[in-house]
Amino acid sequence: MFVFLAWMMQLSAVFIGLVCHAAEPPASQWSSDEHRNLTLRQHRTCVENEQYLHQGLCCLNCQAGTFVKKECERDQEQGTCLSCEYGQTYTAHSNGMKRCLPCTHCRQDEFETSPCTTTADTRCQCKQGTFCIPDQACEVCKRCAKCKSGEEEVKKCTPISNTVCRKRDPSTETPPANPPPTPASPTSIVIPVIVSLLILCLLIGLSVWWFISRRRSCKTPWSKSSCDSSEIVKIPIDESGATAEERQNNQNAGLEGEESRPESRPLLQESGITKPSSPLEDEDRGLGDSLPNTTSSSQTSLSALPTAASAGNTPHQSPSACRLLPEMDDPLRHRLLPLQGSEKSLRKSFDLFDEYLDVRIHNKFFRMIGVSDNHIRIAENGAPADKVYELLKNWMQRQGLKADINDLLEALLGMDQRRSAECIASAAIRKGYYKHADSP
């Protein structure tokens, strides 16, 4: 009996121990520090402008003038940093970039005010007589305006601002004072009078001499015929004895000679009776005259044009001609919905922007959708065929889940590029990337 009770007590102790052990939480939830650290790393946020995230670690930024050659291997440490190339690349702030930014080269209408260093970009300034407003996208320096007649200059033109003019107040204008008449000296009056008398006497003398010599020549026997001929010329035509038919022929011949005279037109031109030329336009008020390749900002809607491609378009000057679907009156009548997922459909449509977007408005378009000038410069230094794709990919990464092709099409419409927007929308629907919101 005593043995049975001892055996029952041991069995109860074992059962109680098993129950208590089962009630304890798993050891991995309390003792696995690595598992907890890994979970925290996946959702951590590094300090902006001081650190960058790499494989769950917050690495310290490299200093201005350097870039990240190799990322850190431990949290809160700095990786390997290399210096930028002086005069070629730079970084103006501490960063986690894997390469430096290329230095800016001044345009032909600018001059360099400070060179590029490893920590600062090149500084350029418009040449004298031109300006460029810093807050606006400035592709070329614009010519300074000149004030019109009736205006006065309030502020002179500077490299960063245009001339400021305002209308002149008529009440403040003072007419120029007439200079007081200066008394004429006797010498200034006598000399012109004497010269005029001498010239008059000379002309009279020449006339008398010519008249006398003419009368003498007529009295000589050998010049009698010439004198008679001059008298014969003075005889009236009616008394010459010519018949009516001869007079009519002579009259017709005279009219034909006058009409066919070759010098009649030059005489009209030299007579001074010419059409007054239209006055020249006023000086350009700062809009600039050095834009040799500006693109027309407006495009005709393709829905009202033939679908045949224009023979004069080239890939580098104008967007490719597109073909609208027969049943599609207006590809932009409704919003586009993705058929292959938002990100996949959007990425596939990037090539359509490269095909139909006019290359001459690339930079303006990318600035309008929020791409920075630094990223545009980096893309231009890369392969030309990848420029549009890389910049649109950068825009999509910045937008995140909000990235939508409809925003890009609205940006084109805002720039008066309806033709390009219709081509892109039509091609995206035709290739099966998108469909209209009202389509089944």
Side-chain angles (χ1 to χ4, degrees), residues 1-7:
M1 185 65 180
F2 180 78
V3 176
F4 177 77
L5 292 175
W7 182 78

Side-chain angles (χ1 to χ4, degrees), residues 120-161:
D121 192 13
T122 310
R123 291 188 179 181
C124 304
Q125 191 173 356
C126 291
K127 294 181 180 180
Q128 187 176 6
T130 60
F131 73 99
C132 186
I133 299 176
D135 297 337
Q136 300 178 0
C138 188
E139 298 294 339
V140 295
C141 290
K142 302 173 185 177
R143 187 174 59 183
C144 295
K146 293 183 179 179
C147 295
K148 295 181 180 179
S149 176
E151 294 181 343
E152 60 181 355
E153 187 177 78
V154 179
K155 184 178 179 182
K156 293 185 178 295
C157 183
T158 67
I160 58 173
S161 63

Side-chain angles (χ1 to χ4, degrees), residues 324-330 333 429:
L324 295 179
L325 296 176
E327 67 277 4
M328 188 180 301
D329 296 332
D330 183 6
R333 68 181 186 271
I429 295 173

Side-chain angles (χ1 to χ4, degrees), residues 106-228:
C106 295
R107 300 190 304 267
Q108 293 183 354
D109 55 355
E110 297 177 325
F111 66 93
E112 185 180 286
T113 58
S114 62
C116 182
T117 64
T118 57
T119 58
D121 192 13
T122 310
R123 291 188 179 181
C124 304
Q125 191 173 356
C126 291
K127 294 181 180 180
Q128 187 176 6
T130 60
F131 73 99
C132 186
I133 299 176
D135 297 337
Q136 300 178 0
C138 188
E139 298 294 339
V140 295
C141 290
K142 302 173 185 177
R143 187 174 59 183
C144 295
K146 293 183 179 179
C147 295
K148 295 181 180 179
S149 176
E151 294 181 343
E152 60 181 355
E153 187 177 78
V154 179
K155 184 178 179 182
K156 293 185 178 295
C157 183
T158 67
I160 58 173
S161 63
N162 194 10
T163 309
V164 179
C165 303
R166 69 181 177 188
K167 290 186 178 180
R168 188 180 290 109
D169 189 0
S171 60
T172 60
E173 293 184 4
T174 56
N178 294 325
T182 56
S185 62
T187 306
S188 61
I189 297 176
V190 172
I191 292 178
V193 171
I194 294 175
V195 172
S196 300
L197 291 175
L198 290 176
I199 293 175
L200 181 61
C201 292
L202 181 61
L203 291 176
I204 294 174
L206 289 175
S207 301
V208 172
W209 174 81
W210 178 83
F211 180 75
I212 295 173
S213 62
R214 181 70 176 171
R215 288 179 62 85
R216 288 179 180 178
S217 63
C218 289
K219 291 180 180 180
T220 57
W222 56 82
S223 62
K224 184 69 176 177
S225 59
S226 61
C227 295
D228 294 340

Side-chain angles (χ1 to χ4, degrees), residues 297-342:
S297 62
S298 60
Q299 296 182 336
T300 307
S301 172
L302 287 180
S303 59
L305 293 176
T307 57
S310 173
N313 290 342
T314 60
H316 298 288
Q317 293 296 331
S318 301
S320 302
C322 67
R323 177 174 55 85
L324 295 179
L325 296 176
E327 67 277 4
M328 188 180 301
D329 296 332
D330 183 6
L332 302 176
R333 68 181 186 271
H334 296 291
R335 292 181 63 83
L336 300 182
L337 298 179
L339 293 176
Q340 302 180 11
S342 299

Side-chain angles (χ1 to χ4, degrees), residues 59-74:
C59 301
L60 298 179
N61 283 352
C62 290
Q63 298 299 321
T66 62
F67 69 98
V68 178
K69 179 65 176 178
K70 183 180 179 182
E71 294 82 359
C72 67
E73 297 179 355
R74 294 183 181 180

